[in-house]
RNA sequence: GGGGUCGUAGUUCAGCUGGUUAGAACGCCGGCCUGUCACGCCGGAGGUCGCGAGUUCGAGUCUCGUCGGCCCCGCCA
C-alpha cells in the first residue's frame, strides 16, 4: 500500500472541502451508472461517498468497475462539496464526497453471506459462524466500543480511588462448593489438574492479607454450567476488594462507579442513593432476590386468610408449612380463558401444581374456586387485595419457595406481556441481609448462599452461630449485598471473614470436615492467621452491565466471540478432540 | 437431565387437509445506464428441503430417531 491514510471515512465535513484526502475502508455499496460510479466506503467510524468519474480519472474509474461489496481499498482524491440537490441529509458526511483520482484495490472479497448493516436480519447461527463479518456491522462495533468505554471509565475511577490492578492466576486449583470447574490437565504433574477460576475470590482476599489495601481486576471467570441468554461459560467481572472497609464503603464506591458509567455512557443521572431492600422483603413483596421494581404486581400474603379454609388446596399448603399468596392484575379480568390457561402453564414451569384465579367483572367474582370460600374468607380476601372491578387475581399455594418462584415469574411475564414496564426507567436496587446458608436437599446439607468466605451480618454474630447445634438453619443473615438493575443481578459482594477461627466454624457449619477444609482451603485459613485485615469487596458482571447499557437482551451481543448455548464456538469449532499423542503426553485416556 | 421452538436458494422467509417441474424478496452473475445514495431497467444462474430411518402408490409436508441454533426449568457458592 503506497498511500497513507489521512483520516477515517466518517470524519470529512464541509470545512474539509478542498483538502486532498486518502481514505481506506470496505466497499459498503457500489452504484454504477455506466458513466459515473459511486462507492460508499465504510470503516469503523462511518461511511463516506467516493465518486469515480471517467472524465476526471479514466484509470481509477476503470478500476472501480471491478469493485464489489466488501472489497478493501485505499483512495486518494480531493474532497468536494456536494451540490444542494445531491446532499444526503441521512449521513453525517452527506454534504461532501471524495472525487477519486487514484484507487488501489487492497483486497477482494467473496460475497458476504449477509449484508453488513444494522438492518439485516440474520440468524444467530450464521452470525456466530461468520462472527468477523457480524462484528463489521455498525451496531456490533458500537457495542464493543461501549464495552471498551465501560472498562476505560471503570479503570479511571478505580485508579483515582487508589485501587491497584493486579492479575491473578488463570491456572489455579479446583475447590469444592460452587459451580463445576473447567479443568486443565498438568503435563508436568500427570494425573493432576488445574481449574480455571470461577472468580478470583481467594486470590483477592490473599492480596488483602498482603497489604495491597485496594485491588481491582477486569477478570475472566469460568463456570462449566448450562447456559442462558445472560450466562456464558467464560464471562468477565469487574472484581474489586478493599481492606479496612465494610459493606457501606463498598456499596458507596460501586454506586459511584455505576452512576458515573450511566451518566457518561447513557446520559442518565441518579441523584438519590440507590434504594436498599433486605432479602426477606424482596422475597415477600416480589418473590425474587433480584426484584424488578419498575412495576407493581406485588405479592400479597393470604396464608392467614386461608389457614382453615374449606378449599383443600389452600388449606393443605398452609398446614404443610407453606403459603398462599396472590397478585392482582389490574384490568386482567378482560383476559380470555386461553390467556389465563397460558399463564397457568407458565406457572407450572416454575413448580406450580395449579394456578387458581378470580376475575372480578361488574361486582361478580368469576372463578372455579370461589365456591369453596366462606363469606369471611371472601371479605378478608377483598380487603387484603384491595380488589376492584376489572381485576384478575392469580393465586399460588405451595411451599413458600415455590409460591415465590411462581408469582415472581408471573409478575414479570405479565408486566412484559401487558406492557407495564416504562422502558426509560433504570431501577437500581441494593438487596441486603441475605441468608447465610441455604439447605441443599440433593446433598442433604447446608451450603453458603453467597460463598463460604462471607461474614455474618453484624446483628447475627458469631455467638449465634455457636449457639446452634445440629445445623445452622437458614435464619442467620450474612453481610452480603447484591446490586440489581431492572430485575437483573448486576453484581454482588460481601464482607469477608478475616478471622481464621470463624472461617473454620463456617466450614464446619457447611459440613466441610476439618481435614477437607485443611486440604482445600488450608492456605486461606493459614493466611487469615497472619494478620488479615478486615476486608470486603464486590464483583460486577461486565457482560450484563454492558448489555443493559446497550439495550440488548443477550450478552452474546456484547462479547466479541461468544459460545453457543451448548458451550461451543461455531467459528473455531471449539471444543474439539485432540491427537492421541497429545493425550498420551498428558497421561490421559478418553473413556466414552 | 427436562420442556418449548426453529432448521427449505448465499441470506431472510412462504410452501394449505401428503399429490405434476419447490416459490418470493434481497443478494449474486451478465448487459444497459454520467448524480446515485434501498439507484434504475433487461436477462440469467442458484436447492442434499439439516441428517437417517419409517409409514405411503407418492413425503419439504406425517411418525420416530439424530445433529444444530435460540428460549426456558433444573443447574449456576
Amino acid at each position: 500500500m503506497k498511500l497513507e491514510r489521512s483520516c477515517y471515512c466518517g470524519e470529512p465535513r464541509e470545512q474539509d472541502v478542498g483538502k486532498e484526502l486518502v481514505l481506506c475502508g470496505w466497499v459498503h455499496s457500489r452504484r454504477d451508472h455506466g458513466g459515473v460510479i459511486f462507492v460508499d466506503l465504510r470503516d469503523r467510524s462511518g461511511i463516506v461517498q467516493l465518486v469515480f468519474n471517467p472524465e476526471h480519472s479514466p484509470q481509477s474509474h476503470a478500476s472501480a468497475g471491478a469493485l464489489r461489496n466488501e472489497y478493501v481499498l485505499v483512495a486518494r482524491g480531493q474532497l468536494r462539496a456536494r451540490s444542494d440537490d445531491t446532499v444526503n441529509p441521512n449521513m453525517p458526511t452527506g454534504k461532501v464526497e471524495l472525487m477519486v483520482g487514484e484507487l488501489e484495490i487492497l483486497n477482494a472479497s467473496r460475497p458476504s453471506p449477509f449484508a453488513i448493516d444494522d438492518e439485516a436480519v440474520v440468524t444467530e447461527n450464521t452470525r456466530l459462524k461468520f462472527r468477523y463479518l457480524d462484528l463489521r456491522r455498525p451496531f456490533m462495533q458500537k457495542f464493543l466500543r461501549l464495552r471498551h468505554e465501560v472498562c476505560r471509565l471503570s479503570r479511571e475511577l478505580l485508579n483515582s480511588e487508589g485501587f491497584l490492578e493486579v492479575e491473578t492466576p488463570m491456572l489455579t486449583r479446583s475447590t469444592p462448593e460452587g459451580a463445576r470447574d473447567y479443568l486443565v490437565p498438568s503435563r508436568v504433574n500427570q494425573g493432576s489438574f488445574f481449574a480455571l477460576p470461577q472468580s478470583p475470590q481467594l486470590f483477592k482476599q490473599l492480596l488483602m492479607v498482603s497489604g495491597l489495601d485496594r485491588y481491582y481486576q477486569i477478570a475472566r471467570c469460568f463456570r462449566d454450567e448450562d447456559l442462558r441468554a445472560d450466562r456464558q461459560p467464560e464471562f468477565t467481572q469487574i472484581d474489586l476488594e478493599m481492606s479496612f472497609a465494610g459493606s457501606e464503603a463498598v456499596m458507596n464506591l460501586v454506586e459511584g462507579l455505576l452512576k458515573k458509567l450511566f451518566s457518561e455512557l447513557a446520559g442518565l443521572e441518579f441523584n438519590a442513593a440507590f434504594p436498599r431492600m433486605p432479602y426477606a422483603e424482596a422475597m415477600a413483596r416480589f418473590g425474587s432476590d433480584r426484584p424488578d421494581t419498575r412495576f407493581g404486581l406485588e405479592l400479597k400474603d393470604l396464608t392467614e386468610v386461608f389457614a382453615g379454609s374449606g378449599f383443600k388446596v389452600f388449606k393443605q399448603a398452609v398446614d404443610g408449612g407453606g403459603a398462599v399468596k396472590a397478585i392482582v392484575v389490574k384490568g386482567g379480568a378482560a383476559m380470555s380463558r386461553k390467556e389465563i390457561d397460558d399463564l397457568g402453564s407458565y406457572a407450572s414451569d416454575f413448580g406450580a401444581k395449579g394456578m387458581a384465579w378470580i376475575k372480578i367483572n361488574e361486582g361478580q367474582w368469576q372463578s372455579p374456586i370461589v365456591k369453596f370460600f366462606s363469606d369471611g374468607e371472601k371479605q378478608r380476601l377483598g380487603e387484603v387485595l384491595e380488589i376492584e372491578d376489572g381485576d384478575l387475581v392469580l393465586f399460588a399455594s405451595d411451599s413458600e419457595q415455590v409460591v415465590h418462584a411462581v408469582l415472581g415469574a408471573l409478575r414479570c411475564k405479565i408486566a412484559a406481556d401487558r406492557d407495564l414496564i416504562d422502558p426509560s426507567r433504570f431501577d437500581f436496587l441494593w438487596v441486603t441481609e441475605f441468608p447465610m446458608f441455604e439447605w441443599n436437599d440433593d446433598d442433604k446439607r447446608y451450603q453458603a448462599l453467597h460463598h463460604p468466605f462471607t461474614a455474618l451480618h453484624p446483628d447475627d454474630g458469631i455467638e449465634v452461630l455457636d449457639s446452634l447445634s445440629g445445623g445452622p438453619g437458614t435464619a442467620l443473615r450474612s453481610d452480603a449485598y447484591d446490586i440489581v438493575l431492572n430485575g437483573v443481578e448486576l453484581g454482588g459482594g460481601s464482607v469477608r471473614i478475616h478471622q481464621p477461627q470463624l472461617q473454620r466454624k463456617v466450614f464446619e457449619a457447611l459440613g466441610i470436615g476439618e481435614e477437607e477444609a485443611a486440604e482445600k482451603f488450608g492456605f486461606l485459613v493459614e493466611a487469615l492467621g497472619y494478620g488479615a485485615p478486615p476486608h470486603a469487596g464486590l464483583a460486577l458482571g461486565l457482560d450484563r452491565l454492558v448489555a443493559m447499557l446497550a439495550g440488548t437482551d443477550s450478552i452474546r451481543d456484547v462479547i466479541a466471540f461468544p459460545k453457543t448455548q451448548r458451550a461451543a464456538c461455531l467459528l473455531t469449532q471449539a471444543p474439539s478432540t485432540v491427537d492421541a499423542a497429545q493425550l498420551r503426553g498428558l497421561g490421559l485416556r478418553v473413556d466414552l
Side-chain angles (χ1 to χ4, degrees):
Chain A
M1 185 172 132
K2 53 187 187 287
L3 296 170
E4 195 177 335
R5 177 164 67 184
S6 54
C7 69
Y8 283 113
C9 295
E11 291 173 344
R13 291 291 184 275
E14 266 182 300
Q15 59 265 30
D16 303 310
V17 165
K19 285 183 188 165
E20 174 103 344
L21 297 179
V22 177
L23 299 173
C24 302
W26 286 260
V27 173
H28 187 66
S29 76
R30 180 184 64 114
R31 295 175 295 279
D32 185 344
H33 287 251
V36 68
I37 298 173
F38 299 100
V39 166
D40 286 344
L41 192 66
R42 185 196 66 242
D43 63 19
R44 74 176 204 195
S45 70
I47 292 174
V48 68
Q49 175 165 283
L50 309 182
V51 184
F52 296 89
N53 189 309
E55 286 152 21
H56 179 77
S57 169
Q59 210 171 8
S60 54
H61 176 267
S63 312
L67 291 172
R68 295 293 182 272
N69 283 352
E70 302 311 314
Y71 274 39
V72 186
L73 63 82
V74 54
R76 183 186 53 76
Q78 195 174 46
L79 194 76
R80 65 179 201 184
R82 298 201 202 179
S83 64
D84 287 347
D85 55 326
T86 62
V87 162
N88 184 344
N90 300 318
M91 47 201 292
T93 62
K95 287 185 172 171
V96 297
E97 61 192 11
L98 192 75
M99 193 66 178
V100 177
E102 190 179 351
L103 168 69
E104 189 184 347
I105 298 178
L106 300 171
N107 209 347
S109 172
R110 301 168 64 192
S112 173
F114 51 85
I116 308 300
D117 59 41
D118 291 354
E119 284 71 42
V121 179
V122 193
T123 55
E124 194 90 8
N125 213 334
T126 307
R127 291 178 63 192
L128 292 177
K129 194 169 161 192
F130 296 97
R131 189 57 158 183
Y132 45 90
L133 296 178
D134 192 33
L135 294 179
R136 244 183 228 173
R137 303 207 280 169
F139 80 98
M140 288 299 284
Q141 300 217 339
K142 191 179 91 188
F143 288 173
L144 289 185
R145 181 178 292 273
L146 184 62
R147 187 180 178 110
H148 163 76
E149 287 299 319
V150 170
C151 291
R152 186 183 65 78
L153 288 163
S154 300
R155 284 196 166 99
E156 192 176 283
L157 182 137
L158 292 168
N159 292 343
S160 75
E161 294 288 336
F163 284 76
L164 302 185
E165 185 171 9
V166 181
E167 292 166 276
T168 53
M170 301 293 274
L171 296 175
T172 180
R173 70 165 295 149
S174 180
T175 52
E177 304 284 309
R180 291 186 194 89
D181 286 322
Y182 274 99
L183 295 178
V184 179
S186 167
R187 177 186 58 82
V188 177
N189 301 287
Q190 297 209 346
S192 290
F193 295 81
F194 295 103
L196 301 179
Q198 295 179 29
S199 83
Q201 181 61 34
L202 294 172
F203 289 105
K204 67 176 177 176
Q205 290 192 237
L206 294 175
L207 288 170
M208 295 303 100
V209 178
S210 303
L212 268 288
D213 196 72
R214 291 182 165 205
Y215 142 96
Y216 79 93
Q217 182 179 194
I218 298 181
R220 194 68 60 85
C221 306
F222 304 85
R223 292 176 193 177
D224 188 6
E225 295 291 346
D226 290 335
L227 309 184
R228 292 285 189 282
D230 62 351
R231 280 167 21 192
Q232 283 275 304
E234 52 179 312
F235 62 100
T236 306
Q237 291 185 339
I238 302 175
D239 188 47
L240 59 91
E241 196 76 10
M242 303 164 77
S243 289
F244 306 105
S247 50
E248 285 299 325
V250 174
M251 286 195 272
N252 285 334
L253 177 92
V254 170
E255 199 165 314
L257 173 59
L258 289 169
K259 284 175 175 173
K260 171 171 159 156
L261 292 173
F262 275 77
S263 168
E264 299 208 14
L265 301 176
L268 296 168
E269 303 300 333
F270 298 87
N271 298 316
F274 293 168
R276 299 185 185 185
M277 187 183 294
Y279 170 92
E281 182 185 344
M283 294 306 291
R285 289 176 57 194
F286 301 98
S288 170
D289 62 356
R290 47 178 174 84
D292 189 338
T293 54
R294 289 175 297 172
F295 56 93
L297 291 170
E298 291 189 21
L299 280 57
K300 303 290 181 191
D301 194 346
L302 304 165
T303 308
E304 303 215 343
V305 176
F306 292 109
S309 179
F311 183 44
K312 278 189 189 147
V313 175
F314 285 2
K315 184 176 187 304
Q316 280 166 7
V318 180
D319 289 349
V324 179
K325 298 195 180 191
I327 55 176
V328 178
V329 185
K330 292 291 163 197
M335 275 195 219
S336 68
R337 183 61 189 262
K338 183 181 184 308
E339 285 175 292
I340 294 176
D341 284 349
D342 285 348
L343 289 175
S345 143
Y346 185 72
S348 72
D349 290 349
F350 295 84
K353 294 180 201 69
M355 187 189 73
W357 51 270
I358 305 174
K359 277 183 183 183
I360 292 90
N361 270 325
E362 292 165 14
Q364 298 296 308
W365 288 22
Q366 274 175 269
S367 166
I369 59 160
V370 159
K371 60 187 173 205
F372 300 111
F373 294 174
S374 69
D375 287 345
E377 282 166 358
K378 282 189 219 172
Q379 194 194 333
R380 288 285 295 132
L381 189 65
E383 286 165 11
V384 174
L385 299 182
E386 295 170 12
I387 285 175
E388 295 175 336
D389 217 42
D391 287 353
L392 170 70
V393 182
L394 302 177
F395 296 88
S397 61
D398 207 304
S399 69
E400 195 162 66
Q401 198 183 348
V402 169
V403 166
H404 287 162
V406 166
L407 293 181
L410 274 177
R411 69 178 285 274
C412 290
K413 178 171 172 54
I414 290 165
D417 289 352
R418 298 174 72 81
D419 220 11
L420 303 178
I421 300 172
D422 175 355
S424 70
R425 254 173 89 170
F426 285 81
D427 277 19
F428 280 104
L429 177 72
W430 286 107
V431 178
T432 60
E433 299 175 42
F434 281 82
M436 184 80 174
F437 304 109
E438 63 185 346
W439 178 251
N440 182 323
D441 209 43
D442 290 337
D443 298 352
K444 302 291 175 203
R445 67 180 188 91
Y446 286 94
Q447 62 185 36
L449 193 74
H450 188 55
H451 57 55
F453 321 110
T454 303
L456 285 162
H457 191 269
D459 298 341
D460 296 359
I462 183 170
E463 59 284 354
V464 182
L465 187 60
D466 272 338
S467 69
L468 295 162
S469 54
T474 52
L476 273 181
R477 292 168 299 167
S478 69
D479 208 349
Y481 32 83
D482 276 3
I483 180 68
V484 174
L485 171 56
N486 294 351
V488 174
E489 183 194 329
L490 273 189
S494 63
V495 176
R496 326 297 184 186
I497 296 168
H498 69 281
Q499 298 123 318
Q501 61 276 22
L502 179 54
Q503 185 65 71
R504 281 193 205 97
K505 275 193 205 300
V506 169
F507 285 148
E508 194 183 319
L510 291 170
I512 302 175
E514 207 165 322
E515 206 171 306
E516 187 185 5
E519 186 204 329
K520 306 273 173 61
F521 298 115
F523 65 97
L524 175 72
V525 178
E526 187 173 21
L528 295 180
Y530 284 100
H535 57 288
L538 174 142
L540 288 169
L542 177 68
D543 311 285
R544 288 181 189 176
L545 177 58
V546 178
M548 298 288 297
L549 283 162
T552 178
D553 291 328
S554 168
I555 64 170
R556 290 187 303 276
D557 282 348
V558 298
I559 296 171
F561 300 102
K563 306 279 188 289
T564 67
Q565 195 156 43
R566 292 194 68 254
C569 173
L570 296 181
L571 176 60
T572 62
Q573 298 292 305
S576 65
T577 55
V578 296
D579 288 349
Q582 215 173 339
L583 285 174
R584 274 197 303 277
L586 294 165
L588 295 179
R589 198 168 53 220
V590 175
D591 179 24
L592 286 177

